[in-house]
Amino acid sequence: MARVVCEVCKKKFKLDQLFLMDLLRPSIKELLQSQVEGINFSGYICSADLSKFRAMHMQQLLQREKGELSSHELEVLENIKQQEILSENVNKEFANQ
């Protein structure tokens, strides 16, 4: 199976481990464009980077709505990110069996 490069981290992944960036929400694309120089939106993003940018987007939304985030809210965002990483690891384990 061919391996494809993630546009964010530049690591190679199997195609079934990536997401087509053209299908991302416009708000996530805007965040990616502001953080990743020369990003190609016709390419792919790995699940770890997508999770990271989704969490960043949620944090920005909460900050805009509420101002500064409490330590509890920051902890919830971190737990969401960790849960996505854990679910990714479980999926990898299952695929390897």
Side-chain angles (χ1 to χ4, degrees):
M1 178 180 267
R3 296 176 79 75
V4 180
V5 175
C6 170
E7 291 293 326
V8 177
C9 66
K10 305 301 184 195
K11 294 179 186 174
K12 291 184 178 184
F13 296 89
K14 293 178 185 176
L15 192 56
D16 63 353
Q17 297 174 314
L18 296 165
F19 298 90
L20 187 58
M21 292 185 45
D22 194 40
L23 301 176
L24 298 177
R25 293 178 183 263
S27 55
I28 300 292
K29 285 182 176 179
E30 287 175 19
L31 182 58
L32 281 161
Q33 190 167 24
S34 72
Q35 299 289 316
V36 182
E37 189 174 322
I39 193 158
N40 175 10
F41 288 107
S42 63
Y44 294 86
I45 186 170
C46 68
S47 58
D49 287 330
L50 182 55
S51 294
K52 176 179 132 182
F53 279 91
R54 282 179 174 161
M56 286 173 61
H57 178 63
M58 285 191 299
Q59 183 174 355
Q60 287 179 350
L61 288 175
L62 287 170
Q63 284 176 327
R64 270 189 234 139
E65 186 176 304
K66 294 187 66 173
E68 192 172 325
L69 299 178
S70 71
S71 60
H72 178 70
E73 289 164 328
L74 290 172
E75 184 179 337
V76 168
L77 285 172
E78 186 60 31
N79 286 338
I80 290 170
K81 187 167 41 171
Q82 289 301 320
Q83 183 63 36
E84 289 176 351
I85 290 170
L86 286 175
S87 65
E88 175 187 336
N89 291 339
V90 169
N91 288 338
K92 284 180 187 176
E93 256 184 63
F94 182 75
N96 290 335
Q97 292 181 355

mmCIF file of all heavy atoms in Angstrom, residues 12-47:
data_model
loop_
_atom_site.group_PDB
_atom_site.id
_atom_site.type_symbol
_atom_site.label_atom_id
_atom_site.label_comp_id
_atom_site.label_asym_id
_atom_site.label_seq_id
_atom_site.Cartn_x
_atom_site.Cartn_y
_atom_site.Cartn_z
ATOM 1 N N LYS A 12 5.055 10.173 6.621
ATOM 2 C CA LYS A 12 4.320 9.324 5.686
ATOM 3 C C LYS A 12 3.399 8.374 6.438
ATOM 4 O O LYS A 12 3.779 7.810 7.458
ATOM 5 C CB LYS A 12 5.294 8.528 4.819
ATOM 6 C CG LYS A 12 6.060 9.388 3.849
ATOM 7 C CD LYS A 12 6.925 8.548 2.948
ATOM 8 C CE LYS A 12 7.635 9.441 1.949
ATOM 9 N NZ LYS A 12 8.427 8.657 0.993
ATOM 10 N N PHE A 13 2.180 8.208 5.894
ATOM 11 C CA PHE A 13 1.155 7.355 6.489
ATOM 12 C C PHE A 13 0.468 6.556 5.385
ATOM 13 O O PHE A 13 0.464 6.960 4.220
ATOM 14 C CB PHE A 13 0.085 8.195 7.200
ATOM 15 C CG PHE A 13 0.582 8.973 8.367
ATOM 16 C CD1 PHE A 13 1.088 10.254 8.209
ATOM 17 C CD2 PHE A 13 0.537 8.432 9.649
ATOM 18 C CE1 PHE A 13 1.544 10.980 9.294
ATOM 19 C CE2 PHE A 13 0.988 9.152 10.743
ATOM 20 C CZ PHE A 13 1.497 10.419 10.556
ATOM 21 N N LYS A 14 -0.166 5.466 5.790
ATOM 22 C CA LYS A 14 -1.053 4.764 4.867
ATOM 23 C C LYS A 14 -2.244 5.670 4.604
ATOM 24 O O LYS A 14 -2.666 6.437 5.479
ATOM 25 C CB LYS A 14 -1.533 3.456 5.484
ATOM 26 C CG LYS A 14 -0.444 2.434 5.665
ATOM 27 C CD LYS A 14 -1.006 1.197 6.329
ATOM 28 C CE LYS A 14 0.086 0.207 6.634
ATOM 29 N NZ LYS A 14 -0.434 -0.964 7.377
ATOM 30 N N LEU A 15 -2.789 5.585 3.411
ATOM 31 C CA LEU A 15 -3.886 6.469 3.024
ATOM 32 C C LEU A 15 -5.085 6.356 3.955
ATOM 33 O O LEU A 15 -5.760 7.349 4.234
ATOM 34 C CB LEU A 15 -4.308 6.167 1.581
ATOM 35 C CG LEU A 15 -5.229 7.172 0.921
ATOM 36 C CD1 LEU A 15 -4.632 8.574 0.955
ATOM 37 C CD2 LEU A 15 -5.521 6.761 -0.509
ATOM 38 N N ASP A 16 -5.339 5.160 4.506
ATOM 39 C CA ASP A 16 -6.489 4.994 5.396
ATOM 40 C C ASP A 16 -6.268 5.609 6.779
ATOM 41 O O ASP A 16 -7.158 5.611 7.613
ATOM 42 C CB ASP A 16 -6.898 3.529 5.521
ATOM 43 C CG ASP A 16 -5.825 2.652 6.151
ATOM 44 O OD1 ASP A 16 -4.696 3.125 6.390
ATOM 45 O OD2 ASP A 16 -6.127 1.471 6.403
ATOM 46 N N GLN A 17 -5.087 6.165 7.015
ATOM 47 C CA GLN A 17 -4.786 6.842 8.281
ATOM 48 C C GLN A 17 -4.825 8.361 8.136
ATOM 49 O O GLN A 17 -4.477 9.081 9.062
ATOM 50 C CB GLN A 17 -3.405 6.431 8.784
ATOM 51 C CG GLN A 17 -3.297 4.961 9.113
ATOM 52 C CD GLN A 17 -1.881 4.570 9.463
ATOM 53 O OE1 GLN A 17 -0.929 4.941 8.791
ATOM 54 N NE2 GLN A 17 -1.753 3.826 10.548
ATOM 55 N N LEU A 18 -5.240 8.835 6.971
ATOM 56 C CA LEU A 18 -5.226 10.267 6.675
ATOM 57 C C LEU A 18 -6.624 10.775 6.328
ATOM 58 O O LEU A 18 -7.516 9.993 6.010
ATOM 59 C CB LEU A 18 -4.283 10.536 5.496
ATOM 60 C CG LEU A 18 -2.818 10.209 5.737
ATOM 61 C CD1 LEU A 18 -2.070 10.161 4.415
ATOM 62 C CD2 LEU A 18 -2.192 11.210 6.673
ATOM 63 N N PHE A 19 -6.766 12.085 6.388
ATOM 64 C CA PHE A 19 -8.016 12.754 6.032
ATOM 65 C C PHE A 19 -7.727 13.740 4.911
ATOM 66 O O PHE A 19 -6.729 14.460 4.959
ATOM 67 C CB PHE A 19 -8.591 13.513 7.238
ATOM 68 C CG PHE A 19 -8.936 12.615 8.383
ATOM 69 C CD1 PHE A 19 -7.993 12.325 9.351
ATOM 70 C CD2 PHE A 19 -10.192 12.055 8.479
ATOM 71 C CE1 PHE A 19 -8.298 11.483 10.408
ATOM 72 C CE2 PHE A 19 -10.510 11.215 9.527
ATOM 73 C CZ PHE A 19 -9.559 10.928 10.496
ATOM 74 N N LEU A 20 -8.608 13.792 3.930
ATOM 75 C CA LEU A 20 -8.468 14.735 2.829
ATOM 76 C C LEU A 20 -8.729 16.145 3.353
ATOM 77 O O LEU A 20 -9.796 16.430 3.905
ATOM 78 C CB LEU A 20 -9.458 14.376 1.717
ATOM 79 C CG LEU A 20 -9.335 15.149 0.413
ATOM 80 C CD1 LEU A 20 -7.946 14.989 -0.189
ATOM 81 C CD2 LEU A 20 -10.388 14.665 -0.565
ATOM 82 N N MET A 21 -7.757 17.019 3.183
ATOM 83 C CA MET A 21 -7.866 18.365 3.752
ATOM 84 C C MET A 21 -8.929 19.208 3.067
ATOM 85 O O MET A 21 -9.488 20.106 3.673
ATOM 86 C CB MET A 21 -6.505 19.060 3.722
ATOM 87 C CG MET A 21 -5.553 18.387 4.676
ATOM 88 S SD MET A 21 -3.960 19.165 4.849
ATOM 89 C CE MET A 21 -4.331 20.852 5.014
ATOM 90 N N ASP A 22 -9.228 18.896 1.829
ATOM 91 C CA ASP A 22 -10.249 19.635 1.101
ATOM 92 C C ASP A 22 -11.623 19.506 1.755
ATOM 93 O O ASP A 22 -12.491 20.350 1.571
ATOM 94 C CB ASP A 22 -10.299 19.142 -0.348
ATOM 95 C CG ASP A 22 -11.072 20.067 -1.245
ATOM 96 O OD1 ASP A 22 -10.938 21.296 -1.100
ATOM 97 O OD2 ASP A 22 -11.833 19.564 -2.097
ATOM 98 N N LEU A 23 -11.822 18.459 2.554
ATOM 99 C CA LEU A 23 -13.114 18.226 3.200
ATOM 100 C C LEU A 23 -13.218 18.825 4.605
ATOM 101 O O LEU A 23 -14.259 18.704 5.249
ATOM 102 C CB LEU A 23 -13.390 16.723 3.275
ATOM 103 C CG LEU A 23 -13.428 15.994 1.928
ATOM 104 C CD1 LEU A 23 -13.614 14.502 2.140
ATOM 105 C CD2 LEU A 23 -14.517 16.564 1.036
ATOM 106 N N LEU A 24 -12.148 19.468 5.086
ATOM 107 C CA LEU A 24 -12.164 20.062 6.429
ATOM 108 C C LEU A 24 -13.063 21.288 6.472
ATOM 109 O O LEU A 24 -13.279 21.964 5.462
ATOM 110 C CB LEU A 24 -10.750 20.456 6.855
ATOM 111 C CG LEU A 24 -9.729 19.332 6.971
ATOM 112 C CD1 LEU A 24 -8.371 19.913 7.336
ATOM 113 C CD2 LEU A 24 -10.166 18.303 7.998
ATOM 114 N N ARG A 25 -13.551 21.585 7.666
ATOM 115 C CA ARG A 25 -14.356 22.795 7.861
ATOM 116 C C ARG A 25 -13.518 24.036 7.537
ATOM 117 O O ARG A 25 -12.325 24.063 7.824
ATOM 118 C CB ARG A 25 -14.816 22.901 9.309
ATOM 119 C CG ARG A 25 -15.792 21.848 9.719
ATOM 120 C CD ARG A 25 -16.122 22.031 11.198
ATOM 121 N NE ARG A 25 -17.007 20.991 11.642
ATOM 122 C CZ ARG A 25 -18.327 21.131 11.719
ATOM 123 N NH1 ARG A 25 -18.883 22.274 11.419
ATOM 124 N NH2 ARG A 25 -19.077 20.126 12.117
ATOM 125 N N PRO A 26 -14.143 25.067 6.985
ATOM 126 C CA PRO A 26 -13.404 26.293 6.665
ATOM 127 C C PRO A 26 -12.669 26.886 7.876
ATOM 128 O O PRO A 26 -11.545 27.391 7.736
ATOM 129 C CB PRO A 26 -14.487 27.246 6.156
ATOM 130 C CG PRO A 26 -15.546 26.338 5.627
ATOM 131 C CD PRO A 26 -15.528 25.130 6.528
ATOM 132 N N SER A 27 -13.259 26.800 9.049
ATOM 133 C CA SER A 27 -12.612 27.374 10.236
ATOM 134 C C SER A 27 -11.323 26.614 10.593
ATOM 135 O O SER A 27 -10.346 27.227 11.031
ATOM 136 C CB SER A 27 -13.570 27.363 11.428
ATOM 137 O OG SER A 27 -14.059 26.048 11.648
ATOM 138 N N ILE A 28 -11.299 25.303 10.390
ATOM 139 C CA ILE A 28 -10.088 24.518 10.639
ATOM 140 C C ILE A 28 -9.049 24.846 9.570
ATOM 141 O O ILE A 28 -7.854 24.987 9.866
ATOM 142 C CB ILE A 28 -10.391 23.002 10.661
ATOM 143 C CG1 ILE A 28 -11.402 22.652 11.751
ATOM 144 C CG2 ILE A 28 -9.115 22.185 10.811
ATOM 145 C CD1 ILE A 28 -10.907 22.828 13.162
ATOM 146 N N LYS A 29 -9.484 25.018 8.337
ATOM 147 C CA LYS A 29 -8.565 25.390 7.259
ATOM 148 C C LYS A 29 -7.908 26.736 7.538
ATOM 149 O O LYS A 29 -6.712 26.912 7.309
ATOM 150 C CB LYS A 29 -9.296 25.445 5.921
ATOM 151 C CG LYS A 29 -9.627 24.107 5.335
ATOM 152 C CD LYS A 29 -10.296 24.331 3.976
ATOM 153 C CE LYS A 29 -10.575 23.042 3.266
ATOM 154 N NZ LYS A 29 -11.231 23.272 1.966
ATOM 155 N N GLU A 30 -8.700 27.691 8.025
ATOM 156 C CA GLU A 30 -8.149 29.019 8.348
ATOM 157 C C GLU A 30 -7.078 28.904 9.419
ATOM 158 O O GLU A 30 -6.027 29.547 9.325
ATOM 159 C CB GLU A 30 -9.265 29.953 8.819
ATOM 160 C CG GLU A 30 -10.178 30.421 7.724
ATOM 161 C CD GLU A 30 -11.338 31.250 8.259
ATOM 162 O OE1 GLU A 30 -11.251 31.764 9.402
ATOM 163 O OE2 GLU A 30 -12.348 31.369 7.539
ATOM 164 N N LEU A 31 -7.338 28.109 10.427
ATOM 165 C CA LEU A 31 -6.363 27.917 11.510
ATOM 166 C C LEU A 31 -5.097 27.253 10.963
ATOM 167 O O LEU A 31 -3.982 27.687 11.273
ATOM 168 C CB LEU A 31 -6.974 27.074 12.632
ATOM 169 C CG LEU A 31 -6.095 26.816 13.845
ATOM 170 C CD1 LEU A 31 -5.637 28.119 14.491
ATOM 171 C CD2 LEU A 31 -6.842 25.954 14.846
ATOM 172 N N LEU A 32 -5.261 26.228 10.156
ATOM 173 C CA LEU A 32 -4.107 25.558 9.550
ATOM 174 C C LEU A 32 -3.296 26.529 8.704
ATOM 175 O O LEU A 32 -2.062 26.549 8.775
ATOM 176 C CB LEU A 32 -4.562 24.380 8.694
ATOM 177 C CG LEU A 32 -4.920 23.112 9.439
ATOM 178 C CD1 LEU A 32 -5.770 22.192 8.571
ATOM 179 C CD2 LEU A 32 -3.677 22.402 9.908
ATOM 180 N N GLN A 33 -3.980 27.344 7.926
ATOM 181 C CA GLN A 33 -3.287 28.297 7.056
ATOM 182 C C GLN A 33 -2.488 29.309 7.872
ATOM 183 O O GLN A 33 -1.395 29.700 7.477
ATOM 184 C CB GLN A 33 -4.284 29.009 6.154
ATOM 185 C CG GLN A 33 -3.631 29.826 5.070
ATOM 186 C CD GLN A 33 -4.624 30.251 4.010
ATOM 187 O OE1 GLN A 33 -5.819 30.337 4.268
ATOM 188 N NE2 GLN A 33 -4.149 30.518 2.822
ATOM 189 N N SER A 34 -3.005 29.686 9.026
ATOM 190 C CA SER A 34 -2.299 30.653 9.862
ATOM 191 C C SER A 34 -1.115 30.029 10.610
ATOM 192 O O SER A 34 -0.212 30.735 11.031
ATOM 193 C CB SER A 34 -3.259 31.298 10.868
ATOM 194 O OG SER A 34 -3.612 30.373 11.880
ATOM 195 N N GLN A 35 -1.122 28.706 10.757
ATOM 196 C CA GLN A 35 -0.085 28.038 11.549
ATOM 197 C C GLN A 35 0.941 27.267 10.712
ATOM 198 O O GLN A 35 2.049 27.035 11.176
ATOM 199 C CB GLN A 35 -0.743 27.052 12.527
ATOM 200 C CG GLN A 35 -1.680 27.684 13.518
ATOM 201 C CD GLN A 35 -0.943 28.506 14.556
ATOM 202 O OE1 GLN A 35 0.075 28.067 15.072
ATOM 203 N NE2 GLN A 35 -1.440 29.686 14.848
ATOM 204 N N VAL A 36 0.571 26.845 9.519
ATOM 205 C CA VAL A 36 1.445 25.996 8.699
ATOM 206 C C VAL A 36 1.743 26.717 7.390
ATOM 207 O O VAL A 36 0.869 26.845 6.529
ATOM 208 C CB VAL A 36 0.798 24.617 8.422
ATOM 209 C CG1 VAL A 36 1.742 23.738 7.616
ATOM 210 C CG2 VAL A 36 0.392 23.940 9.722
ATOM 211 N N GLU A 37 2.978 27.165 7.260
ATOM 212 C CA GLU A 37 3.379 27.928 6.086
ATOM 213 C C GLU A 37 3.327 27.067 4.817
ATOM 214 O O GLU A 37 3.804 25.934 4.803
ATOM 215 C CB GLU A 37 4.799 28.456 6.292
ATOM 216 C CG GLU A 37 5.247 29.433 5.240
ATOM 217 C CD GLU A 37 6.597 30.030 5.555
ATOM 218 O OE1 GLU A 37 6.871 30.302 6.730
ATOM 219 O OE2 GLU A 37 7.365 30.203 4.603
ATOM 220 N N GLY A 38 2.723 27.594 3.771
ATOM 221 C CA GLY A 38 2.684 26.940 2.476
ATOM 222 C C GLY A 38 1.880 25.651 2.425
ATOM 223 O O GLY A 38 2.164 24.774 1.608
ATOM 224 N N ILE A 39 0.885 25.538 3.274
ATOM 225 C CA ILE A 39 0.094 24.294 3.333
ATOM 226 C C ILE A 39 -0.687 24.084 2.033
ATOM 227 O O ILE A 39 -1.174 25.030 1.436
ATOM 228 C CB ILE A 39 -0.836 24.296 4.565
ATOM 229 C CG1 ILE A 39 -1.389 22.898 4.798
ATOM 230 C CG2 ILE A 39 -1.927 25.324 4.429
ATOM 231 C CD1 ILE A 39 -1.857 22.664 6.199
ATOM 232 N N ASN A 40 -0.769 22.832 1.606
ATOM 233 C CA ASN A 40 -1.458 22.451 0.379
ATOM 234 C C ASN A 40 -2.781 21.791 0.761
ATOM 235 O O ASN A 40 -2.795 20.670 1.238
ATOM 236 C CB ASN A 40 -0.581 21.488 -0.414
ATOM 237 C CG ASN A 40 -1.271 20.946 -1.643
ATOM 238 O OD1 ASN A 40 -2.337 21.407 -2.039
ATOM 239 N ND2 ASN A 40 -0.664 19.960 -2.254
ATOM 240 N N PHE A 41 -3.889 22.473 0.532
ATOM 241 C CA PHE A 41 -5.197 21.965 0.946
ATOM 242 C C PHE A 41 -5.753 20.886 0.021
ATOM 243 O O PHE A 41 -6.824 20.354 0.267
ATOM 244 C CB PHE A 41 -6.203 23.099 1.122
ATOM 245 C CG PHE A 41 -5.925 23.918 2.346
ATOM 246 C CD1 PHE A 41 -5.409 25.191 2.248
ATOM 247 C CD2 PHE A 41 -6.147 23.385 3.604
ATOM 248 C CE1 PHE A 41 -5.137 25.934 3.381
ATOM 249 C CE2 PHE A 41 -5.878 24.118 4.749
ATOM 250 C CZ PHE A 41 -5.368 25.392 4.631
ATOM 251 N N SER A 42 -5.027 20.555 -1.024
ATOM 252 C CA SER A 42 -5.455 19.421 -1.848
ATOM 253 C C SER A 42 -4.791 18.134 -1.358
ATOM 254 O O SER A 42 -5.019 17.067 -1.920
ATOM 255 C CB SER A 42 -5.133 19.668 -3.327
ATOM 256 O OG SER A 42 -3.734 19.779 -3.507
ATOM 257 N N GLY A 43 -3.995 18.240 -0.282
ATOM 258 C CA GLY A 43 -3.308 17.088 0.283
ATOM 259 C C GLY A 43 -4.071 16.472 1.443
ATOM 260 O O GLY A 43 -5.297 16.597 1.543
ATOM 261 N N TYR A 44 -3.321 15.840 2.333
ATOM 262 C CA TYR A 44 -3.897 15.078 3.446
ATOM 263 C C TYR A 44 -3.323 15.526 4.786
ATOM 264 O O TYR A 44 -2.239 16.101 4.841
ATOM 265 C CB TYR A 44 -3.608 13.583 3.261
ATOM 266 C CG TYR A 44 -4.297 12.996 2.062
ATOM 267 C CD1 TYR A 44 -3.709 13.057 0.799
ATOM 268 C CD2 TYR A 44 -5.539 12.397 2.181
ATOM 269 C CE1 TYR A 44 -4.344 12.518 -0.315
ATOM 270 C CE2 TYR A 44 -6.188 11.855 1.071
ATOM 271 C CZ TYR A 44 -5.579 11.927 -0.167
ATOM 272 O OH TYR A 44 -6.219 11.400 -1.253
ATOM 273 N N ILE A 45 -4.058 15.217 5.862
ATOM 274 C CA ILE A 45 -3.619 15.502 7.221
ATOM 275 C C ILE A 45 -3.801 14.227 8.045
ATOM 276 O O ILE A 45 -4.802 13.518 7.906
ATOM 277 C CB ILE A 45 -4.398 16.695 7.834
ATOM 278 C CG1 ILE A 45 -3.828 17.077 9.198
ATOM 279 C CG2 ILE A 45 -5.887 16.432 7.879
ATOM 280 C CD1 ILE A 45 -4.390 18.379 9.756
ATOM 281 N N CYS A 46 -2.822 13.945 8.919
ATOM 282 C CA CYS A 46 -2.923 12.752 9.765
ATOM 283 C C CYS A 46 -3.880 13.019 10.932
ATOM 284 O O CYS A 46 -4.182 14.172 11.260
ATOM 285 C CB CYS A 46 -1.542 12.328 10.275
ATOM 286 S SG CYS A 46 -0.766 13.457 11.441
ATOM 287 N N SER A 47 -4.343 11.963 11.544
ATOM 288 C CA SER A 47 -5.336 12.109 12.610
ATOM 289 C C SER A 47 -4.769 12.836 13.825
ATOM 290 O O SER A 47 -5.485 13.598 14.471
ATOM 291 C CB SER A 47 -5.910 10.751 13.004
ATOM 292 O OG SER A 47 -4.898 9.890 13.420
#
